[in-house]
Amino acid sequence: MFVRIRKIFSSTTFDNYSLYDTDFTGFEKGRIIDYKVKYKFLYVGVNTDILFRYNFYLSLKAGYSNGVTAIDRDNHRLRYLYSRGECTGDAYLADLSLGWEFLPHYLLQLSAGYVNIDTVGIGRMYQYGFLAAKQERTITSEIKTIVFGLMYRF
């Protein structure tokens, strides 16, 4: 078992595109909404690896951060509406991996991970370039992953 300290930078972008429509609904061709959120945090965690017979292993990881910074940007292009939030909060991380070294240096691995990020702060909304509203904002993410992979260890 050992203690781990890591810094994480994460950025996610969502774009919404519209198809061209000539009827009265007024759809536009191209990107109409884009959303981007960036997380930055340093976390402390524990890691343990358990080795079994026949080259099988189990790895458990857990981490926590109380210093998450989240910045998001939401741009509604057709309404000239732009908002930006700056928040702080905490994050929890967990990971469970099972692996099998079937040949020297070759591993099959199945991993399941979970990350929960909760932040609160201030959001500002601008319309036509002028500040339209200032409000409390929460930025949260819950990320679940399952990965199956073939690895080569040097």
Side-chain angles (χ1 to χ4, degrees), residues 83-125:
S83 64
R84 178 181 168 91
E86 297 178 9
C87 302
T88 58
D90 55 9
Y92 299 92
L93 304 91
D95 185 79
L96 171 68
S97 298
L98 301 169
W100 174 44
E101 188 172 359
F102 60 95
L103 290 172
H105 303 288
Y106 288 92
L107 295 100
L108 282 176
Q109 183 177 16
L110 177 63
S111 178
Y114 177 78
V115 178
N116 185 322
I117 302 172
D118 293 312
T119 63
V120 176
I122 297 295
R124 291 174 178 82
M125 186 181 306

Side-chain angles (χ1 to χ4, degrees), residues 21-145:
D21 190 351
T22 58
D23 69 5
F24 66 92
T25 59
F27 287 134
E28 296 264 341
K29 184 179 180 182
R31 184 165 44 174
I32 57 172
I33 296 173
D34 62 279
Y35 177 77
K36 184 172 191 172
V37 61
K38 289 183 181 181
Y39 295 105
K40 184 170 44 172
F41 59 95
L42 177 70
Y43 78 89
V44 175
V46 293
N47 184 39
T48 185
D49 292 324
I50 302 169
L51 299 174
F52 297 104
R53 292 174 43 179
Y54 308 111
N55 297 329
F56 283 95
Y57 72 91
L58 174 71
S59 178
L60 301 166
K61 298 172 188 157
Y64 172 75
S65 175
N66 66 350
V68 176
T69 301
I71 298 173
D72 77 337
R73 171 181 54 81
D74 191 2
N75 189 358
H76 293 249
R77 296 172 182 275
L78 295 181
R79 299 187 316 169
Y80 301 103
L81 184 64
Y82 175 83
S83 64
R84 178 181 168 91
E86 297 178 9
C87 302
T88 58
D90 55 9
Y92 299 92
L93 304 91
D95 185 79
L96 171 68
S97 298
L98 301 169
W100 174 44
E101 188 172 359
F102 60 95
L103 290 172
H105 303 288
Y106 288 92
L107 295 100
L108 282 176
Q109 183 177 16
L110 177 63
S111 178
Y114 177 78
V115 178
N116 185 322
I117 302 172
D118 293 312
T119 63
V120 176
I122 297 295
R124 291 174 178 82
M125 186 181 306
Y126 299 89
Q127 192 154 24
Y128 298 103
F130 297 101
L131 182 63
K134 186 176 175 182
Q135 61 197 22
E136 182 177 297
R137 174 171 289 185
T138 60
I139 303 173
T140 61
S141 287
E142 186 176 69
I143 304 164
K144 300 173 189 172
T145 58

